[in-house]
Amino acid sequence: MGTIIMQLFNGVSVASILMLAAIGLTITFGLMGIINMAHGEFIMIGAYTTYVIQNLFQTYLPHFFSSYVFVALIASFVVAALLGYLMERTIIRFLYDRPEDSLLVTWGISLVLQQLAQNIFGAPDVSVTTPKYLQGSIQVTKTVSFATDRVVILIIALAAISAVAYMLFKTRFGRNITATMQNRKMAASMGINTKRIDSMTFALGTGLAGLAGCTITWIGSIDPSIGQDYIVNAFITVVVGGAGTLLGTLFGSAFMGVGDTSLEFLTNPTIGQALILILVIVVLQFKPKGMFSSKSRKLND
Amino acid sequence: MLTIEDLSAGYGEGTVVNNLNLIANQGQVTCLIGRNGAGKTTTLRGIMGLIKSSADTLRLDETDLSKMPTYRRAQSGIGYVPQGREIFPNMTVRDNLRIGLEANENSQQVPDYLFTLFPILKQFLDRKGGDLSGGQQQQLAIARALVTDPKVLILDEPTEGIQPSVIQEIGEVITELKSKMAILIVEQYLEFVMQISDYCYLLENGNITLEGLRNEIDLEQVKHTLAL
């Protein structure tokens, strides 16, 4: 029993990391219709931002070292969002309605960003020291214990998706995003600055990737190609759940996370990986638009 | 007052509307009549800045709109009711109306008088816009444009695909509104035009070939052009 619960928690934990990586994609890919191959690099940017913040605290504020995590969470979001904003203003905005081109261009950007990271931080892995309160584990019963950092990541992931849902459905900004993505010309005719909405929405998506990057520094080391480890699974998560819906992202990450770890547990890692991808193909055969499909600007026409 | 001089508009390389002159005054319903393909919708899209267009003058009262992007034109006081309604299907009636507030510089509240004009909307506030019937969507589209508190309301074929009783209602609403704003309507349903308009322009192949007060215009020529 204990093993099964631990195994399930393991799956939920993988799912929560996937979800954090995928929420941003749900917005940029699902809502805006941009295939952003550089999404993983914004995860990388968030991770290195965390690394830099940690170093700054170590050098200048050693007494407050344990609180660097909170600053890093905010900074990773802000830095990734600002760079995403810049990227939308200078490059992405010329690529709407050109999905093939956007795929190639953002792939190029991804390579440039990886090289840039290598030049700045070097090719070898770096890692951050997590503060004490994130180490250790929460003992539930004698045989069941959950790693604290994993629990915190789960909480952050759920908080992030709730915040995004609130923003999309309950705020004026969210309403303007929905209107713009549903009918761009009509939104403009109602006084919405749709170009600004595009930039802000894209920045929100990359910012969330940055946040994901911050949390993954707790569970592994950072290298310039760290984004590549997440990008494919994040895309699969969004597609299988249904692009552009948060419910779909929630489902997709649970499906991929819990499904993958369970199948790997029941068989072995190689077979498990293959099985989950076969399952994805089966789902998409019957639900080509994902489990929870939405109406959005491009994917629906 | 909306003043247009030498408006040309089109898609891609060609122009559909050439050197069009038009004035829409407050207190009047101005109608632009023409057959399918005459360039009526193109004219309105040109006014909104939704397509490639150029004009010597495109002025709303004293504000020059010609260089503005679409959203600034809306904020300056054009309320647009497009062909086919184009309401946001996945948003509730309430949210569709609230979107209009983006272009309203004076208020952040959907005004109550709209629900007197269109009682049906009050009843359906929480329904998805896409679930309404065609006539209800048309009323929603007009109400949404009114939320922007426009100086000129432009409507693209408001009678298209609408049942007669609702056309009647819409006509009454338009007549009620004209004291507060200029109204420009594109239409090919002549009976409706003759009921509500004060001044008419006839559009043929992108050019205005006839204009005049409703009761002075050469009705035979208008009928002849529409029937061609």
Side-chain angles (χ1 to χ4, degrees), chain B residues 7-188:
Chain B
L7 174 80
S8 296
Y11 307 87
E13 293 302 307
T15 58
V16 178
V17 173
N18 309 302
N19 308 106
L20 177 134
N21 296 301
L22 185 148
I23 289 176
N25 280 311
Q26 183 170 346
Q28 277 190 341
V29 175
T30 309
C31 276
L32 187 61
I33 319 165
R35 289 195 307 135
N36 280 336
K40 307 185 297 292
T41 298
T42 307
T43 305
L44 294 194
R45 287 185 181 154
I47 295 172
M48 282 315 289
L50 291 168
I51 52 173
K52 206 172 54 131
S53 62
S54 66
D56 281 355
T57 308
L58 179 57
R59 218 171 49 226
L60 186 56
D61 296 335
E62 296 310 312
T63 317
D64 178 20
L65 303 178
S66 59
K67 302 279 181 294
M68 287 182 181
T70 300
Y71 78 96
R72 289 283 301 135
R73 295 184 192 200
Q75 289 172 352
S76 301
I78 306 186
Y80 179 45
V81 183
Q83 191 173 34
R85 279 83 72 173
E86 306 219 14
I87 54 148
F88 302 105
N90 285 352
M91 291 166 69
T92 59
V93 169
R94 188 192 309 274
D95 278 352
N96 266 280
L97 291 172
R98 279 181 181 158
I99 287 293
L101 292 171
E102 294 299 320
N104 186 333
E105 286 167 338
N106 303 317
S107 161
Q108 280 308 309
Q109 284 282 316
V110 175
D112 277 333
Y113 82 92
L114 291 178
F115 301 116
T116 325
L117 288 179
F118 305 110
I120 194 81
L121 295 182
K122 180 147 202 149
Q123 210 176 316
F124 288 160
L125 270 177
D126 292 311
R127 243 191 238 191
K128 288 264 167 78
D131 295 342
L132 302 187
S133 75
Q136 291 160 353
Q137 288 189 1
Q138 187 63 268
Q139 301 183 40
L140 174 57
I142 296 172
R144 183 180 61 178
L146 290 173
V147 173
T148 70
D149 192 18
K151 297 192 181 86
V152 55
L153 181 68
I154 63 182
L155 302 103
D156 196 343
E157 300 216 21
T159 65
E160 190 190 27
I162 310 286
Q163 60 179 20
S165 67
V166 180
I167 292 181
Q168 192 65 34
E169 266 178 59
I170 289 174
E172 282 161 19
V173 167
I174 289 170
T175 311
E176 210 177 312
L177 288 170
K178 74 177 178 186
S179 64
K180 285 192 254 176
M181 60 193 77
I183 293 174
L184 172 63
I185 301 179
V186 147
E187 192 52 85
Q188 54 181 333

Side-chain angles (χ1 to χ4, degrees), chain A residues 149-186:
Chain A
D149 49 6
R150 300 258 173 183
V151 174
V152 173
I153 291 176
L154 177 62
I155 293 169
I156 291 174
L158 291 175
I161 202 167
S162 313
V164 170
Y166 178 81
M167 197 215 65
L168 274 182
F169 300 123
K170 295 284 175 211
T171 67
R172 181 177 157 198
F173 179 50
R175 195 159 62 229
N176 289 355
I177 291 178
T178 313
T180 304
M181 300 314 155
Q182 272 184 33
N183 189 336
R184 171 167 303 271
K185 290 193 163 180
M186 201 55 228

